[in-house]
């Protein structure tokens, strides 16, 4: 505004546009570096950060392979620039995870349409596979009359932690005992 005693007041204005840059980042880290047993637990720490210059509404982290996700502040909260949503999650190892040799897990963060682009990070944890098999034939020896029949029990056990495939049992002196299994689960017997 400009004014003087001799003139009328005069005003003018200017607008400076602000460039809004909504952005999100996410990191996911597993505490455990490996697993080898059914029931082992892989724990995750997930941090989603507003790396843009605008407050984001309804910021939500998703982790489909870890249904026990807990976040602070809660999922769906608004997040100011520079602020973070800190989450924990875990996955309980199954036999399928051991057989696969690794477990892939991905977490993503988004604030809905019209906001920042979705960001994702993943973590792959490796299984410690230990295939092993044992066989026992009982009794170790026996006496039978000439022309008689010797009876044995043969037990095959998967003593490892992975499912074995195409397991076959054969005895050269008793060809009728051959038996095959398509699969032999961990700690299972044939």
């Amino acid at each position: 505004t400009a004014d003087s005693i001799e003139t009328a007041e005069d005003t003018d204005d200017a607008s400076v546009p602000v460039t809004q840059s909504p952005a999100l980042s996410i990191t996911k880290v597993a505490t455990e570096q490996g697993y080898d047993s059914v029931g082992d637990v892989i724990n995750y720490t997930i941090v989603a950060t507003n790396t843009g210059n605008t407050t984001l509404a309804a910021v939500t982290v998703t982790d489909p392979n870890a249904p026990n996700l807990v976040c602070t502040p809660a999922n769906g909260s608004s997040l100011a620039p520079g602020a973070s949503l800190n989450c924990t999650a875990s996955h309980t190892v199954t036999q399928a995870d051991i057989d696969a040799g690794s477990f892939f897990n991905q977490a993503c963060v988004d604030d809905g349409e019209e906001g920042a682009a979705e960001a994702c990070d993943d973590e792959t944890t490796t299984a410690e596979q230990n295939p092993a098999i044992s066989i026992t034939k009982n009794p170790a020896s026996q006496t039978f009359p000439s022309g008689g029949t010797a009876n044995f029990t043969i037990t095959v056990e998967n003593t490892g932690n992975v499912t074995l495939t195409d397991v076959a049992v054969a005895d050269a002196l008793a060809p009728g005992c051959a038996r095959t299994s398509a699969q032999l689960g961990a700690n299972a017997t044939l």
Side-chain angles (χ1 to χ4, degrees), residues 108-135:
C108 295
V109 62
D110 200 0
D111 68 326
E113 294 181 20
E114 310 293 325
E118 179 183 60
C120 298
D121 192 23
D122 58 70
E123 184 76 18
T124 299
T125 307
T126 304
E128 297 170 21
Q129 293 180 317
N130 299 303
I133 195 168
S134 70
I135 186 168

Side-chain angles (χ1 to χ4, degrees), residues 61-174:
V61 172
T62 56
D63 191 339
N65 290 326
N68 54 359
L69 182 72
V70 176
C71 297
T72 303
N75 259 340
S77 296
S78 64
L79 210 56
S84 295
L85 196 68
N86 298 292
C87 306
T88 58
S90 63
H91 170 74
T92 301
V93 172
T94 66
Q95 185 62 54
D97 298 332
I98 296 172
D99 292 344
S102 63
F103 182 72
F104 173 85
N105 197 346
Q106 183 180 63
C108 295
V109 62
D110 200 0
D111 68 326
E113 294 181 20
E114 310 293 325
E118 179 183 60
C120 298
D121 192 23
D122 58 70
E123 184 76 18
T124 299
T125 307
T126 304
E128 297 170 21
Q129 293 180 317
N130 299 303
I133 195 168
S134 70
I135 186 168
T136 56
K137 185 174 183 178
N138 287 310
S141 64
Q142 57 185 291
T143 303
F144 57 94
S146 177
T149 301
N151 294 302
F152 296 95
T153 299
I154 300 171
T155 303
V156 176
E157 183 179 0
N158 179 348
T159 55
N161 69 347
V162 295
T163 300
L164 303 176
T165 57
D166 298 325
V167 178
V169 177
D171 187 331
L173 297 178

